[in-house]
Amino acid sequence: LSGGPTWWNLTALDWHFESQCIPHPLAWLAHQTPSWAKECSVYLTFFVLIAIPYLLYIPVRSLRGVAFVLLAGFQILIILSGNYNFFNLHTIALLLPSLQPGVFSAKSRRMEMLVSVSLITGLVYGWAYFCSVQFDVNASHPMTLGFTHDEFRVLMAKSLIVWAIVGLGSLTLTCCQAVLEAVERIVRDCGLVGLEDEAASFSPCSYRVLGGIMRLGRTMMGCVVAFLFFGISVLAHTDLRNLHLSRTPEAQMSLERIRFYIPKPLVELQQSPLMIAGSYGLFRHMT
């Protein structure tokens, strides 16, 4: 995304292991691997960090599990080949909520498996089709990307629209499910209250109903906060002043289409001097 030549020609790892902060002995061993292995690693890094995160926004537990394994495994590889303190552990901790149950029940595991296999197959095929590589065994760098800068920028700008729609739909479904569960619990507790002695002024079941109402309020407040942060996160990816994606007119049109549907106060909040969300470019600037 940065347009850096080392990332674009797949040679970033030729410099990364020796130029990172406080490299350790395993980093020296990683630096000694063949060039083709490091180029394959860069290409797989693109796949894991660009394509796989989309699976986190699909409310299917098996898909989120695949994304968790790949993304957490990637962070473990960084720990083994570098020294970034708690940065990688923090990222793994942020991935833990993806292991929560999805929308499929235990009785519909076949449907879940069908959806998972279909989406993973489509994701891998789409990545191989749009982000292909070319091989030349006689060249000093045998792997080269088979697409141009502008093609990649347009693809990423359009994929942001898909990401925003899928993420918003998944978040809405998750919030509705949480609210319904809270309401069902209140209704169930109300039924218990009806079974209590009418002479009791305030029975233990009444306390449960009151606790359920408070829990519903907290759930709804959490949903509002979740939608707020989701909108800010989308804005962080559509900031036309900072993204290199905005260099092509078609990419600008795709990004502006997303910003059109975001409330104006959120846009002003993101554009303020004290931004509360933004891109993290450590590796981009290091290499």
Side-chain angles (χ1 to χ4, degrees):
L1 295 178
S2 65
T6 57
W7 287 106
W8 194 255
N9 58 25
L10 303 179
T11 60
L13 291 184
D14 289 346
W15 316 98
H16 166 70
F17 295 117
E18 64 178 354
S19 63
Q20 63 180 325
C21 305
I22 318 179
H24 52 64
L26 290 180
W28 182 86
L29 293 176
H31 183 69
Q32 307 306 314
T33 56
S35 296
W36 63 266
K38 287 182 283 192
E39 291 178 6
C40 289
S41 298
V42 174
Y43 183 73
L44 292 177
T45 297
F46 292 159
F47 176 71
V48 172
L49 296 185
I50 296 176
I52 294 301
Y54 284 94
L55 300 180
L56 295 174
Y57 298 96
I58 301 176
V60 179
R61 187 174 188 178
S62 56
L63 286 175
R64 289 175 173 175
V66 171
F68 174 84
V69 170
L70 292 177
L71 293 172
F74 181 79
Q75 298 301 321
I76 293 174
L77 289 177
I78 295 178
I79 294 175
L80 294 176
S81 62
N83 185 359
Y84 298 95
N85 205 333
F86 59 86
F87 169 73
N88 307 107
L89 298 177
H90 186 197
T91 304
I92 295 175
L94 292 175
L95 291 171
L96 291 177
S98 63
L99 299 178
Q100 65 182 353
V103 297
F104 292 98
S105 63
K107 298 180 180 180
S108 55
R109 290 295 174 82
R110 291 185 178 180
M111 178 62 69
E112 178 181 356
M113 184 61 64
L114 178 62
V115 172
S116 301
V117 173
S118 300
L119 288 178
I120 291 177
T121 302
L123 182 66
V124 173
Y125 175 79
W127 178 265
Y129 180 80
F130 291 106
C131 301
S132 60
V133 292
Q134 299 175 350
F135 296 92
D136 185 0
V137 295
N138 297 322
S140 57
H141 297 287
M143 293 182 61
T144 56
L145 297 178
F147 49 92
T148 64
H149 287 76
D150 289 341
E151 290 174 344
F152 183 68
R153 294 188 186 109
V154 172
L155 174 64
M156 291 304 302
K158 290 183 176 180
S159 66
L160 283 175
I161 300 178
V162 178
W163 172 81
I165 294 174
V166 173
L168 181 61
S170 177
L171 179 59
T172 302
L173 183 61
T174 302
C175 289
C176 290
Q177 187 177 14
V179 171
L180 287 176
E181 290 177 356
V183 172
E184 289 177 357
R185 186 165 184 175
I186 294 175
V187 173
R188 185 169 58 252
D189 292 340
C190 287
L192 293 176
V193 171
L195 298 177
E196 292 289 333
D197 186 8
E198 296 180 358
S201 59
F202 208 76
S203 65
C205 291
S206 299
Y207 284 105
R208 295 179 62 180
V209 173
L210 180 60
I213 294 175
M214 296 178 63
R215 188 179 301 107
L216 175 61
R218 292 195 299 267
T219 301
M220 297 181 68
M221 184 179 299
C223 292
V224 173
V225 173
F227 277 104
L228 174 65
F229 275 93
F230 178 80
I232 294 175
S233 299
V234 173
L235 282 170
H237 289 81
T238 58
D239 190 351
L240 299 181
R241 298 170 303 170
N242 298 327
L243 273 183
H244 292 272
L245 300 177
S246 60
R247 294 176 179 174
T248 59
E250 190 173 356
Q252 288 183 353
M253 185 178 302
S254 299
L255 296 175
E256 287 288 2
R257 191 177 296 119
I258 299 177
R259 297 172 68 89
F260 177 78
Y261 294 100
I262 298 177
K264 188 176 180 180
L266 287 182
V267 177
E268 295 176 352
L269 179 64
Q270 176 64 21
Q271 292 178 345
S272 63
L274 299 178
M275 297 175 60
I276 62 175
S279 60
Y280 183 72
L282 173 63
F283 296 102
R284 177 179 62 192
H285 294 295
M286 283 173 52
T287 54

mmCIF file of all heavy atoms in Angstrom, residues 213-245:
data_model
loop_
_atom_site.group_PDB
_atom_site.id
_atom_site.type_symbol
_atom_site.label_atom_id
_atom_site.label_comp_id
_atom_site.label_asym_id
_atom_site.label_seq_id
_atom_site.Cartn_x
_atom_site.Cartn_y
_atom_site.Cartn_z
ATOM 1 N N ILE A 213 -32.470 -5.934 33.067
ATOM 2 C CA ILE A 213 -32.718 -4.650 32.409
ATOM 3 C C ILE A 213 -31.434 -3.822 32.365
ATOM 4 O O ILE A 213 -31.115 -3.188 31.352
ATOM 5 C CB ILE A 213 -33.839 -3.892 33.144
ATOM 6 C CG1 ILE A 213 -35.167 -4.648 33.001
ATOM 7 C CG2 ILE A 213 -33.975 -2.478 32.599
ATOM 8 C CD1 ILE A 213 -36.296 -4.031 33.783
ATOM 9 N N MET A 214 -30.697 -3.835 33.467
ATOM 10 C CA MET A 214 -29.426 -3.115 33.474
ATOM 11 C C MET A 214 -28.443 -3.730 32.486
ATOM 12 O O MET A 214 -27.704 -3.025 31.799
ATOM 13 C CB MET A 214 -28.842 -3.131 34.886
ATOM 14 C CG MET A 214 -29.685 -2.391 35.918
ATOM 15 S SD MET A 214 -28.984 -2.469 37.583
ATOM 16 C CE MET A 214 -27.437 -1.613 37.341
ATOM 17 N N ARG A 215 -28.469 -5.058 32.373
ATOM 18 C CA ARG A 215 -27.589 -5.733 31.420
ATOM 19 C C ARG A 215 -27.976 -5.380 29.988
ATOM 20 O O ARG A 215 -27.113 -5.193 29.123
ATOM 21 C CB ARG A 215 -27.668 -7.251 31.628
ATOM 22 C CG ARG A 215 -26.642 -8.039 30.824
ATOM 23 C CD ARG A 215 -26.764 -9.526 31.096
ATOM 24 N NE ARG A 215 -26.571 -9.828 32.516
ATOM 25 C CZ ARG A 215 -27.549 -10.173 33.348
ATOM 26 N NH1 ARG A 215 -28.799 -10.241 32.911
ATOM 27 N NH2 ARG A 215 -27.292 -10.444 34.610
ATOM 28 N N LEU A 216 -29.264 -5.260 29.727
ATOM 29 C CA LEU A 216 -29.726 -4.858 28.400
ATOM 30 C C LEU A 216 -29.247 -3.449 28.073
ATOM 31 O O LEU A 216 -28.824 -3.172 26.950
ATOM 32 C CB LEU A 216 -31.250 -4.935 28.333
ATOM 33 C CG LEU A 216 -31.897 -4.422 27.040
ATOM 34 C CD1 LEU A 216 -31.419 -5.231 25.832
ATOM 35 C CD2 LEU A 216 -33.418 -4.469 27.144
ATOM 36 N N GLY A 217 -29.319 -2.556 29.072
ATOM 37 C CA GLY A 217 -28.835 -1.197 28.842
ATOM 38 C C GLY A 217 -27.352 -1.162 28.518
ATOM 39 O O GLY A 217 -26.922 -0.439 27.617
ATOM 40 N N ARG A 218 -26.571 -1.938 29.244
ATOM 41 C CA ARG A 218 -25.129 -1.993 28.959
ATOM 42 C C ARG A 218 -24.861 -2.571 27.581
ATOM 43 O O ARG A 218 -23.954 -2.113 26.874
ATOM 44 C CB ARG A 218 -24.420 -2.822 30.025
ATOM 45 C CG ARG A 218 -24.405 -2.183 31.411
ATOM 46 C CD ARG A 218 -23.383 -2.870 32.310
ATOM 47 N NE ARG A 218 -23.704 -4.291 32.485
ATOM 48 C CZ ARG A 218 -24.424 -4.778 33.469
ATOM 49 N NH1 ARG A 218 -24.946 -3.956 34.388
ATOM 50 N NH2 ARG A 218 -24.643 -6.083 33.580
ATOM 51 N N THR A 219 -25.657 -3.578 27.197
ATOM 52 C CA THR A 219 -25.486 -4.174 25.870
ATOM 53 C C THR A 219 -25.768 -3.168 24.771
ATOM 54 O O THR A 219 -25.007 -3.050 23.797
ATOM 55 C CB THR A 219 -26.411 -5.397 25.716
ATOM 56 O OG1 THR A 219 -26.097 -6.360 26.727
ATOM 57 C CG2 THR A 219 -26.242 -6.028 24.345
ATOM 58 N N MET A 220 -26.857 -2.424 24.919
ATOM 59 C CA MET A 220 -27.197 -1.431 23.900
ATOM 60 C C MET A 220 -26.159 -0.318 23.848
ATOM 61 O O MET A 220 -25.810 0.167 22.771
ATOM 62 C CB MET A 220 -28.591 -0.870 24.195
ATOM 63 C CG MET A 220 -29.699 -1.916 24.108
ATOM 64 S SD MET A 220 -31.343 -1.253 24.419
ATOM 65 C CE MET A 220 -31.550 -0.215 22.984
ATOM 66 N N MET A 221 -25.648 0.084 25.011
ATOM 67 C CA MET A 221 -24.596 1.102 25.025
ATOM 68 C C MET A 221 -23.331 0.582 24.340
ATOM 69 O O MET A 221 -22.667 1.309 23.584
ATOM 70 C CB MET A 221 -24.295 1.510 26.464
ATOM 71 C CG MET A 221 -23.286 2.646 26.583
ATOM 72 S SD MET A 221 -22.988 3.110 28.304
ATOM 73 C CE MET A 221 -24.645 3.604 28.776
ATOM 74 N N GLY A 222 -23.004 -0.693 24.591
ATOM 75 C CA GLY A 222 -21.850 -1.286 23.927
ATOM 76 C C GLY A 222 -22.019 -1.341 22.428
ATOM 77 O O GLY A 222 -21.058 -1.134 21.668
ATOM 78 N N CYS A 223 -23.246 -1.608 21.972
ATOM 79 C CA CYS A 223 -23.508 -1.632 20.528
ATOM 80 C C CYS A 223 -23.302 -0.254 19.910
ATOM 81 O O CYS A 223 -22.731 -0.128 18.815
ATOM 82 C CB CYS A 223 -24.929 -2.122 20.263
ATOM 83 S SG CYS A 223 -25.198 -3.862 20.668
ATOM 84 N N VAL A 224 -23.755 0.793 20.593
ATOM 85 C CA VAL A 224 -23.570 2.151 20.088
ATOM 86 C C VAL A 224 -22.083 2.481 19.970
ATOM 87 O O VAL A 224 -21.623 3.033 18.961
ATOM 88 C CB VAL A 224 -24.287 3.160 21.003
ATOM 89 C CG1 VAL A 224 -23.954 4.597 20.593
ATOM 90 C CG2 VAL A 224 -25.797 2.947 20.960
ATOM 91 N N VAL A 225 -21.320 2.125 21.002
ATOM 92 C CA VAL A 225 -19.878 2.376 20.971
ATOM 93 C C VAL A 225 -19.209 1.580 19.849
ATOM 94 O O VAL A 225 -18.313 2.081 19.163
ATOM 95 C CB VAL A 225 -19.252 2.031 22.340
ATOM 96 C CG1 VAL A 225 -17.732 2.130 22.277
ATOM 97 C CG2 VAL A 225 -19.796 2.941 23.425
ATOM 98 N N ALA A 226 -19.670 0.328 19.647
ATOM 99 C CA ALA A 226 -19.093 -0.507 18.591
ATOM 100 C C ALA A 226 -19.329 0.110 17.216
ATOM 101 O O ALA A 226 -18.418 0.155 16.379
ATOM 102 C CB ALA A 226 -19.700 -1.913 18.657
ATOM 103 N N PHE A 227 -20.536 0.613 16.969
ATOM 104 C CA PHE A 227 -20.826 1.259 15.686
ATOM 105 C C PHE A 227 -20.001 2.537 15.531
ATOM 106 O O PHE A 227 -19.553 2.856 14.420
ATOM 107 C CB PHE A 227 -22.318 1.574 15.575
ATOM 108 C CG PHE A 227 -23.153 0.416 15.129
ATOM 109 C CD1 PHE A 227 -23.939 -0.276 16.035
ATOM 110 C CD2 PHE A 227 -23.147 0.001 13.803
ATOM 111 C CE1 PHE A 227 -24.707 -1.353 15.629
ATOM 112 C CE2 PHE A 227 -23.908 -1.073 13.382
ATOM 113 C CZ PHE A 227 -24.692 -1.768 14.301
ATOM 114 N N LEU A 228 -19.802 3.262 16.629
ATOM 115 C CA LEU A 228 -19.000 4.482 16.568
ATOM 116 C C LEU A 228 -17.570 4.169 16.159
ATOM 117 O O LEU A 228 -17.019 4.790 15.240
ATOM 118 C CB LEU A 228 -19.023 5.181 17.926
ATOM 119 C CG LEU A 228 -18.116 6.409 18.063
ATOM 120 C CD1 LEU A 228 -18.585 7.523 17.134
ATOM 121 C CD2 LEU A 228 -18.103 6.907 19.504
ATOM 122 N N PHE A 229 -16.965 3.176 16.806
ATOM 123 C CA PHE A 229 -15.579 2.829 16.482
ATOM 124 C C PHE A 229 -15.477 2.194 15.097
ATOM 125 O O PHE A 229 -14.450 2.361 14.418
ATOM 126 C CB PHE A 229 -15.010 1.893 17.546
ATOM 127 C CG PHE A 229 -14.462 2.609 18.739
ATOM 128 C CD1 PHE A 229 -15.253 2.841 19.850
ATOM 129 C CD2 PHE A 229 -13.163 3.085 18.739
ATOM 130 C CE1 PHE A 229 -14.755 3.521 20.940
ATOM 131 C CE2 PHE A 229 -12.654 3.771 19.829
ATOM 132 C CZ PHE A 229 -13.452 3.991 20.939
ATOM 133 N N PHE A 230 -16.510 1.475 14.682
ATOM 134 C CA PHE A 230 -16.470 0.914 13.329
ATOM 135 C C PHE A 230 -16.458 2.032 12.290
ATOM 136 O O PHE A 230 -15.702 1.989 11.315
ATOM 137 C CB PHE A 230 -17.670 0.001 13.100
ATOM 138 C CG PHE A 230 -17.720 -0.588 11.716
ATOM 139 C CD1 PHE A 230 -16.936 -1.679 11.387
ATOM 140 C CD2 PHE A 230 -18.536 -0.036 10.741
ATOM 141 C CE1 PHE A 230 -16.968 -2.209 10.108
ATOM 142 C CE2 PHE A 230 -18.583 -0.571 9.463
ATOM 143 C CZ PHE A 230 -17.798 -1.658 9.149
ATOM 144 N N GLY A 231 -17.296 3.047 12.498
ATOM 145 C CA GLY A 231 -17.304 4.168 11.558
ATOM 146 C C GLY A 231 -15.977 4.890 11.518
ATOM 147 O O GLY A 231 -15.484 5.264 10.454
ATOM 148 N N ILE A 232 -15.348 5.072 12.682
ATOM 149 C CA ILE A 232 -14.040 5.733 12.724
ATOM 150 C C ILE A 232 -12.985 4.875 12.035
ATOM 151 O O ILE A 232 -12.099 5.385 11.350
ATOM 152 C CB ILE A 232 -13.660 6.025 14.187
ATOM 153 C CG1 ILE A 232 -14.613 7.043 14.790
ATOM 154 C CG2 ILE A 232 -12.230 6.536 14.280
ATOM 155 C CD1 ILE A 232 -14.396 7.313 16.261
ATOM 156 N N SER A 233 -13.078 3.545 12.210
ATOM 157 C CA SER A 233 -12.117 2.654 11.557
ATOM 158 C C SER A 233 -12.242 2.717 10.044
ATOM 159 O O SER A 233 -11.238 2.692 9.323
ATOM 160 C CB SER A 233 -12.324 1.218 12.046
ATOM 161 O OG SER A 233 -12.123 1.122 13.436
ATOM 162 N N VAL A 234 -13.465 2.795 9.551
ATOM 163 C CA VAL A 234 -13.664 2.921 8.103
ATOM 164 C C VAL A 234 -13.048 4.222 7.605
ATOM 165 O O VAL A 234 -12.387 4.262 6.566
ATOM 166 C CB VAL A 234 -15.163 2.855 7.756
ATOM 167 C CG1 VAL A 234 -15.390 3.152 6.280
ATOM 168 C CG2 VAL A 234 -15.713 1.471 8.083
ATOM 169 N N LEU A 235 -13.253 5.299 8.364
ATOM 170 C CA LEU A 235 -12.686 6.581 7.955
ATOM 171 C C LEU A 235 -11.169 6.536 7.916
ATOM 172 O O LEU A 235 -10.543 7.163 7.063
ATOM 173 C CB LEU A 235 -13.145 7.668 8.928
ATOM 174 C CG LEU A 235 -14.574 8.181 8.726
ATOM 175 C CD1 LEU A 235 -14.987 9.055 9.886
ATOM 176 C CD2 LEU A 235 -14.684 8.943 7.428
ATOM 177 N N ALA A 236 -10.568 5.796 8.843
ATOM 178 C CA ALA A 236 -9.109 5.699 8.861
ATOM 179 C C ALA A 236 -8.569 5.073 7.584
ATOM 180 O O ALA A 236 -7.422 5.309 7.208
ATOM 181 C CB ALA A 236 -8.656 4.881 10.069
ATOM 182 N N HIS A 237 -9.382 4.273 6.899
ATOM 183 C CA HIS A 237 -8.952 3.618 5.662
ATOM 184 C C HIS A 237 -9.373 4.394 4.417
ATOM 185 O O HIS A 237 -9.056 3.995 3.304
ATOM 186 C CB HIS A 237 -9.524 2.205 5.578
ATOM 187 C CG HIS A 237 -8.899 1.261 6.555
ATOM 188 N ND1 HIS A 237 -9.280 1.199 7.867
ATOM 189 C CD2 HIS A 237 -7.896 0.358 6.406
ATOM 190 C CE1 HIS A 237 -8.561 0.285 8.493
ATOM 191 N NE2 HIS A 237 -7.719 -0.227 7.645
ATOM 192 N N THR A 238 -10.124 5.484 4.594
ATOM 193 C CA THR A 238 -10.591 6.241 3.425
ATOM 194 C C THR A 238 -10.113 7.685 3.473
ATOM 195 O O THR A 238 -10.699 8.552 2.859
ATOM 196 C CB THR A 238 -12.124 6.213 3.352
ATOM 197 O OG1 THR A 238 -12.667 6.769 4.564
ATOM 198 C CG2 THR A 238 -12.642 4.806 3.184
ATOM 199 N N ASP A 239 -9.065 7.962 4.222
ATOM 200 C CA ASP A 239 -8.513 9.301 4.309
ATOM 201 C C ASP A 239 -7.730 9.585 3.034
ATOM 202 O O ASP A 239 -6.612 9.112 2.841
ATOM 203 C CB ASP A 239 -7.604 9.428 5.534
ATOM 204 C CG ASP A 239 -7.210 10.870 5.791
ATOM 205 O OD1 ASP A 239 -7.493 11.717 4.926
ATOM 206 O OD2 ASP A 239 -6.622 11.138 6.845
ATOM 207 N N LEU A 240 -8.312 10.372 2.144
ATOM 208 C CA LEU A 240 -7.719 10.599 0.830
ATOM 209 C C LEU A 240 -6.450 11.439 0.904
ATOM 210 O O LEU A 240 -5.675 11.484 -0.042
ATOM 211 C CB LEU A 240 -8.734 11.292 -0.088
ATOM 212 C CG LEU A 240 -10.017 10.497 -0.348
ATOM 213 C CD1 LEU A 240 -10.921 11.279 -1.277
ATOM 214 C CD2 LEU A 240 -9.687 9.150 -0.962
ATOM 215 N N ARG A 241 -6.210 12.087 2.039
ATOM 216 C CA ARG A 241 -5.006 12.911 2.143
ATOM 217 C C ARG A 241 -3.776 12.062 2.406
ATOM 218 O O ARG A 241 -2.658 12.469 2.100
ATOM 219 C CB ARG A 241 -5.163 13.932 3.269
ATOM 220 C CG ARG A 241 -6.290 14.914 3.055
ATOM 221 C CD ARG A 241 -6.528 15.718 4.315
ATOM 222 N NE ARG A 241 -6.817 14.845 5.444
ATOM 223 C CZ ARG A 241 -6.885 15.255 6.698
ATOM 224 N NH1 ARG A 241 -6.660 16.512 6.979
ATOM 225 N NH2 ARG A 241 -7.154 14.405 7.677
ATOM 226 N N ASN A 242 -3.973 10.868 2.997
ATOM 227 C CA ASN A 242 -2.826 10.061 3.413
ATOM 228 C C ASN A 242 -2.662 8.782 2.614
ATOM 229 O O ASN A 242 -1.565 8.263 2.494
ATOM 230 C CB ASN A 242 -2.955 9.709 4.907
ATOM 231 C CG ASN A 242 -2.958 10.962 5.773
ATOM 232 O OD1 ASN A 242 -2.312 11.939 5.452
ATOM 233 N ND2 ASN A 242 -3.716 10.931 6.853
ATOM 234 N N LEU A 243 -3.757 8.232 2.089
ATOM 235 C CA LEU A 243 -3.662 6.941 1.408
ATOM 236 C C LEU A 243 -3.035 7.088 0.035
ATOM 237 O O LEU A 243 -3.409 7.958 -0.743
ATOM 238 C CB LEU A 243 -5.055 6.325 1.256
ATOM 239 C CG LEU A 243 -5.562 5.477 2.421
ATOM 240 C CD1 LEU A 243 -6.913 4.896 2.067
ATOM 241 C CD2 LEU A 243 -4.601 4.360 2.738
ATOM 242 N N HIS A 244 -2.089 6.216 -0.265
ATOM 243 C CA HIS A 244 -1.515 6.174 -1.608
ATOM 244 C C HIS A 244 -2.526 5.621 -2.611
ATOM 245 O O HIS A 244 -2.345 5.747 -3.810
ATOM 246 C CB HIS A 244 -0.251 5.312 -1.608
ATOM 247 C CG HIS A 244 0.880 5.924 -0.844
ATOM 248 N ND1 HIS A 244 1.778 6.795 -1.406
ATOM 249 C CD2 HIS A 244 1.251 5.798 0.457
ATOM 250 C CE1 HIS A 244 2.676 7.172 -0.504
ATOM 251 N NE2 HIS A 244 2.380 6.579 0.637
ATOM 252 N N LEU A 245 -3.597 5.001 -2.115
ATOM 253 C CA LEU A 245 -4.619 4.468 -3.017
ATOM 254 C C LEU A 245 -5.323 5.574 -3.790
ATOM 255 O O LEU A 245 -5.929 5.328 -4.816
ATOM 256 C CB LEU A 245 -5.665 3.679 -2.217
ATOM 257 C CG LEU A 245 -5.175 2.489 -1.412
ATOM 258 C CD1 LEU A 245 -6.334 1.887 -0.641
ATOM 259 C CD2 LEU A 245 -4.573 1.452 -2.330
#
